[in-house]
Amino acid sequence: MTVIELLNRDKEERHFSFEVLPPLKGAGTDKLFATIEKLKEFNPLFVNITTHHSEFVYKQLENGLLQRQRIRRRPGTIAIAAAIQNKFGIPVQPHIICSGATIENIEYELLDLQFLGISNLLLLRGDKAKEDSRFVPTPGGHEHTTDLIRQVNRFNEGFFADGTPIKCPGEKFDFGVACYPEKHEEAPNLEMDLMYLKEKQDLGADYAVTQLFYDNKKYFEFVEKARAMGITIPIIPGIKPFAKLSQLTVVPKTFHCDIPQELASEAVRCKTDEEAQRLGVEWAVAQCRELYAHGVNNIHFYTVSAVNSVAEVARQLL
């Protein structure tokens, strides 16, 4: 089933989905599968799996000089998606990104996904490389998510990127995109950011998943502005429970979202990470209950460094 069909199947029921990272290169799948085992009891609608472009690292040689090498720390998004779907029977949604990929790379990813029977995608531009001051597209790759969407649409129509017909077209892909209640860090303003989201919808995006946020008011205002601009697709709220004292400063910097004053005031009173985790669960439960009360029927959880918290939130909600 497509994600949009899953969302529409039981509109009166409360659901959730979650995001996981592929394991670090060479780390194996034990920790990842333990996360799935912990969360599967709450009947998630789907699991999405992030992907990460390669990056430069510096390796010291025997002569003391440093050699720059490009590596991928977390390979295997497609393989992990297939493993989760086969082992747990949960619908999966791998990320497909522009960053670090050529058009040809993406084409092979789409072919592999069709062979594996995976047809739900989250299409993203991806983050800029750490060594770049701004996003630089890979030579032969896409600069914008809209370009990636056009490639997937063309593939769905039965054509490779160079215009060659696909002899045996497989199942078509359905896809969602990302959106940002507090605007993307590179957007000049929220209105222009919403214009880009409207373009993605018009190109075929079935739904959007938000960046994490801690202030529901910003989500509600974002949805209201989106609807006023003609954006009608479901906008799935993304939640990440506050889990560590360090996140009070790290989260706003990394994810470009504000910590509400009420939460920040409580967080600075916490003496340990355990206290911060309890606070985060309490705040996330309240957030989710308010979102459900406003008609949201699926909440998407970001699990990195917060698996136990997500499980506790889900336990209190469902």
Side-chain angles (χ1 to χ4, degrees), residues 3 19 46 48-50 93-98 121-127 144-146 148-149 174-185 187 190 192-202 204-213 219 222-223 226-227 231 233-238 255 300 302:
V3 168
E19 176 181 287
F46 61 89
N48 80 32
I49 304 97
T50 67
Q93 178 199 55
H95 292 193
I96 302 295
I97 65 174
C98 305
L121 310 175
L122 193 69
L123 302 184
L124 309 161
R125 189 200 69 179
D127 297 331
H144 303 291
T145 307
T146 48
L148 174 58
I149 291 174
D174 296 274
F175 56 87
V177 295
C179 61
Y180 304 85
E182 298 172 66
K183 91 171 184 62
H184 191 279
E185 60 173 313
L190 183 58
M192 186 164 287
D193 210 16
L194 283 166
M195 286 174 55
Y196 296 141
L197 179 58
K198 176 66 162 58
E199 184 179 5
K200 294 171 189 176
Q201 171 189 273
D202 294 345
D206 286 329
Y207 54 93
V209 182
T210 77
Q211 176 63 283
L212 61 91
F213 60 90
Y219 170 79
F222 177 79
V223 172
R227 301 305 182 222
I231 298 169
I233 57 176
I235 298 175
I236 302 171
F255 299 102
H300 190 69
Y302 296 101

Side-chain angles (χ1 to χ4, degrees), residues 264-285:
S265 296
E266 292 296 322
V268 295
R269 295 192 183 99
C270 294
K271 304 299 183 184
T272 65
D273 282 342
E274 289 73 21
E275 290 181 8
Q277 184 179 23
R278 288 194 293 272
L279 171 64
V281 167
E282 180 182 334
W283 186 272
V285 168

Side-chain angles (χ1 to χ4, degrees), residues 38 45 59 77 95 127 156-157 164 195 229 234 244 281 288:
K38 182 168 289 189
L45 280 190
K59 181 179 179 180
T77 294
H95 292 193
D127 297 331
N156 281 344
E157 292 165 0
T164 304
M195 286 174 55
M229 290 187 66
K244 295 181 180 180
V281 167
C288 293

